[in-house]
Amino acid sequence: MSQKRQAGLRSTNPEDYQHVPRAVAAMPKDFPDGFEISPHRHRRAQLIYATAGTMRISTEEAVWVVPPQRALWMPPGIHHSIVMSGDVTMRTLYLRQDAAAGMPDVCRVLHISPLLRELIVRATEMPVDYDERGAAGHIVALILDELHRGPSLPLHLPMPRDKRLHRLCAALLAQPGDQRTLEEWAGWANASPRTLARLFMTETGLTFGAWRQQARVLEAMGRLGGGQAVTEVALELGYDSVSAFSAMFRRASGASPSAYRPSRQDPPGRAGFSRAFANG
């Protein structure tokens, strides 16, 4: 491994964690608002998580918005890019092949409980070559148990492969509050409304309206996770009232918009770790 690890410091280079002789390797790394990680892939499966800030993670097939209450399970070898919304405190877990056995073989959003949050934070504070038979080994075992038991959530946005439709979807992602109808977009995309409607269903499994709503939900999660006010988010995403936006958001996500706003809790540490066990 790098000289940092030999000196007892934890590396922030993901490559240094792909061959660690442990079931789980945990990397802490912080990023400023707007930072972009270009498309890449890793040998190990990973849990992409941040205790603060929101990430937009993209593959060739879909887009996910990941606030602090969620994490993205990423199988090994999948090309992906990440854009930060707000200052992001990323805490990534890289899992050895045997530790990842039984986890999904496709990307999935996972709920992060208070207990799992503190376990992940604690893992980034342990030595990289932690004692598997000591307390650190028990923490890793708990992490794996929580990951394997946790349900996945249908919070993703399928991306089409058709070039015309992909360009349209990219434009909507850039301006999710755009109110243009499918007929108006058809002229922009140089395709008939019927063709676009068919392509949406064929390539994403969603109607144009459902795809745009899901895009707005995910965008709202990112903005709310970055601390933006609910009213501001509702108006910028094209809703006439906060109540209409809140009703849509709750139907789609199962939670109120305010639930995605940053909580005023103390930074994670040993006290928080103890509370997580007490409340778990």
Side-chain angles (χ1 to χ4, degrees):
M1 188 172 267
S2 67
Q3 293 181 346
K4 277 188 176 182
R5 180 177 168 192
Q6 294 173 0
L9 302 176
R10 191 176 292 269
S11 171
T12 55
N13 181 356
E15 288 304 308
D16 286 341
Y17 294 85
Q18 304 309 308
H19 302 282
V20 173
R22 295 293 184 271
V24 174
M27 183 187 75
K29 193 170 185 177
D30 299 340
F31 298 92
D33 180 25
F35 189 90
E36 299 185 19
I37 301 177
S38 59
H40 63 287
R41 61 182 178 183
H42 300 298
R43 180 183 296 270
R44 281 192 171 195
Q46 62 182 133
L47 185 77
I48 307 175
Y49 174 63
T51 60
T54 299
M55 302 169 287
R56 176 184 286 176
I57 303 171
S58 303
T59 68
E60 293 180 353
E61 298 181 348
V63 175
W64 294 262
V65 173
V66 185
Q69 300 90 342
R70 306 284 185 258
L72 185 65
W73 171 256
M74 178 74 63
I78 295 180
H79 276 96
H80 60 283
S81 60
I82 307 176
V83 178
M84 313 302 165
S85 178
D87 293 337
V88 171
T89 306
M90 189 184 292
R91 300 294 181 259
T92 303
L93 302 182
Y94 296 98
L95 275 67
R96 199 170 58 199
Q97 183 177 1
D98 59 317
M103 292 295 290
D105 58 3
V106 293
C107 296
R108 285 287 184 267
V109 175
L110 303 179
H111 172 69
I112 299 298
S113 66
L115 171 59
L116 183 54
R117 177 187 188 276
E118 300 300 338
L119 289 169
I120 292 171
V121 171
R122 185 68 183 93
T124 64
E125 299 170 347
M126 301 184 316
V128 176
D129 294 321
Y130 57 84
D131 181 2
E132 294 178 291
R133 294 174 295 180
H138 294 306
I139 288 171
V140 169
L142 273 173
I143 289 174
L144 294 177
D145 185 59
E146 288 288 301
L147 288 179
H148 283 81
R149 290 194 304 142
S152 60
L153 305 170
L155 296 175
H156 77 289
L157 191 66
M159 291 296 288
R161 294 185 178 274
D162 180 87
K163 291 182 179 179
R164 291 170 297 176
L165 195 58
H166 193 282
R167 190 165 71 97
L168 190 162
C169 290
L172 275 173
L173 285 175
Q175 295 291 335
D178 196 307
Q179 296 282 47
R180 275 180 281 183
T181 65
L182 182 63
E183 287 71 23
E184 291 171 319
W185 278 111
W188 180 87
N190 195 26
S192 71
R194 177 177 293 184
T195 296
L196 286 184
R198 175 178 55 79
L199 285 173
F200 261 108
M201 286 301 301
T202 301
E203 302 227 346
T204 72
L206 299 171
T207 65
F208 165 73
W211 193 96
R212 181 166 62 180
Q213 177 176 289
Q214 182 73 342
R216 288 175 172 176
V217 168
L218 296 182
E219 179 67 18
M221 288 179 179
R223 296 187 184 197
L224 293 166
Q228 197 169 346
V230 175
T231 300
E232 188 177 0
V233 173
L235 296 177
E236 289 183 359
L237 293 185
Y239 289 87
D240 295 330
S241 68
V242 174
S243 60
F245 165 72
S246 297
M248 178 282 300
F249 190 92
R250 185 180 290 275
R251 285 195 306 270
S253 69
S256 67
S258 60
Y260 280 82
R261 301 198 73 222
S263 60
R264 296 182 177 180
Q265 60 184 4
D266 295 331
R270 295 188 185 278
F273 183 65
S274 299
R275 285 195 301 271
F277 273 106
N279 298 331

